[in-house]
Amino acid sequence: MMEAQQTGVCVVATDHVYGMGVLQVKDMLHSASLRLALQLRANEKKLVAEPAAIEPAFEVIIAKPQGKEIQTYSGTSILADETLTDEKCWRLVVLSHFWGETSEQLQHNPTLIEWLKGQYQQGAKILGMGSGVFWLAEAGLLDGKNATTYWRYMEEFKQRFPQVLWQENEAVCQYDDIACSVGVASASDILLDHIAELCGAKVAQGISRDILFDTKRSYKLPSFSSASHRRHQDILIQQIQQWLDENYAQVVEFGVLAERFGMSKRNFARRFKAATGDTPKDYLQHLRISVAKERLIYSEHSVKYIALEVGYQDGSYFCELFKRLNQLTPLQYRKQFKRRL
């Protein structure tokens, strides 16, 4: 949990950002900061008559690379709290989604790249929202890593940053202290993770309930991936299973996967079956359905949305597969097991 005196969160906003994204991030994190302060007061048994009297537990500011007046995409002006300087090292940096040419963004914000590198080197965690991922890629912080971005920028970024492993079908990608999201909604899930780290699970749950009107789904894989399928001594197959655990929602081509781990497709299939008892295809299906079962229970997302999340573009095929493996449709499964919580 973050100490109250430590530096907090910097939301970086350039001209032509989506104002709703900037303000949503600040509102979420400011609310979390106040909740943490109240929680700390309660722990100290100090009563406070008015919530307004509470000082936030950590700082949340909007900063602009040059100047303070931010012209948003819709023409509304937002006044930044600060201009970016090297005087502070932030715990979390959020790069806001913008609309327009990336070349113009570079031209008008020449100091942002080096500032961002400096923050990362000093231990800041960084979240890029939508086109805000551009700054991470331009700084070289995504080289050799999985990343995603707003779909309208995907082809441009693929050509401009070929060293980045762009994931077209992923809503979020996280790697160590760097995270990318396709937009504001998917960024909210990542922000809840950061809020839980900064303030604890209780505060994160309160933010999810009161601001997002939903309980954040759990991203932990269910017991399938660590059950009997792991009780073998084939280290290479265990590494492949770990890769599938982290990339199950992607389009998986087993021939490419086999080559990635130095095997022929035929040898890979035979060795995988011998180690796990399943074919690679069956293993991946069970893994995806296992994750889907958890999300049916712990989230309010639609069946179609969950199907896409776990790697199935065809919702009808997902429902058929789910019923074949569970003897229940996804909706029947949700209805039956949600009552038990």
Side-chain angles (χ1 to χ4, degrees), residues 1 122 128 211 335:
M1 185 180 297
Q122 294 179 76
I211 293 182
K335 183 177 180 181

Side-chain angles (χ1 to χ4, degrees), residues 322-329 332:
F322 191 99
K323 185 174 183 180
R324 174 158 57 85
L325 295 178
N326 297 285
Q327 289 74 55
L328 295 170
T329 68
Q332 289 170 337

Side-chain angles (χ1 to χ4, degrees), residues 128-309:
M129 297 194 304
S131 59
V133 173
F134 165 77
W135 300 109
L136 285 165
E138 187 69 26
L141 299 179
L142 295 178
D143 291 358
K145 300 172 183 176
N146 291 344
T148 191
T149 189
Y150 179 47
W151 68 272
R152 285 187 180 274
Y153 285 88
M154 182 63 77
E155 289 305 316
E156 175 190 342
F157 287 7
K158 279 184 176 180
Q159 294 178 21
R160 184 165 186 156
F161 308 109
Q163 64 275 34
V164 179
L165 307 178
W166 295 105
Q167 307 298 315
E168 295 186 58
N169 299 317
E170 294 293 320
V172 298
C173 286
Q174 298 193 68
Y175 190 96
D176 294 335
D177 291 335
I178 293 176
C180 309
S181 73
V182 297
V184 176
S186 51
S188 296
D189 276 346
I190 301 175
L191 285 172
L192 283 176
D193 286 336
H194 286 298
I195 289 170
E197 182 178 343
L198 291 168
C199 309
K202 183 178 180 180
V203 171
Q205 290 165 1
I207 296 298
S208 179
R209 181 183 64 246
D210 294 344
I211 293 182
L212 300 180
F213 312 108
D214 188 13
T215 301
K216 181 185 182 299
R217 60 187 175 272
S218 170
Y219 283 95
K220 294 180 180 178
L221 289 172
S223 58
F224 166 79
S225 62
S226 60
S228 60
H229 300 82
R230 296 300 178 96
R231 295 171 188 166
H232 60 81
Q233 303 302 313
D234 192 327
I235 302 302
L236 188 57
I237 297 301
Q238 288 180 356
Q239 292 175 355
I240 293 173
Q241 289 175 279
Q242 180 65 34
W243 187 93
L244 289 171
D245 287 350
E246 298 170 356
N247 299 278
Y248 59 84
Q250 297 184 29
V251 175
V252 179
E253 298 182 11
F254 291 112
V256 175
L257 184 60
E259 185 177 353
R260 183 189 187 109
F261 285 89
M263 291 184 284
S264 68
K265 184 176 180 180
R266 184 175 180 180
N267 183 44
F268 163 67
R270 182 173 60 249
R271 190 165 164 178
F272 193 97
K273 173 77 171 178
T276 68
D278 271 342
T279 66
K281 179 181 178 181
D282 287 342
Y283 180 91
L284 180 59
Q285 286 182 337
H286 281 94
L287 178 58
R288 286 172 167 173
I289 295 301
S290 189
V291 175
K293 287 163 68 175
E294 182 182 277
R295 295 185 181 178
L296 285 165
I297 294 173
Y298 293 105
S299 85
E300 300 298 333
H301 291 308
S302 68
V303 171
K304 182 178 180 180
Y305 185 96
I306 291 172
L308 289 170
E309 274 195 312

Side-chain angles (χ1 to χ4, degrees), residues 11-19 22-23 62-73 75-82 96:
V11 185
V12 178
T14 60
D15 285 331
H16 308 300
V17 293
Y18 273 49
V22 174
L23 295 176
I62 298 171
K64 190 182 182 187
Q66 309 288 330
K68 285 191 175 182
E69 186 176 355
I70 303 162
Q71 291 294 324
T72 68
Y73 163 75
T76 302
S77 294
I78 298 175
L79 191 63
D81 301 301
E82 296 181 9
S96 304

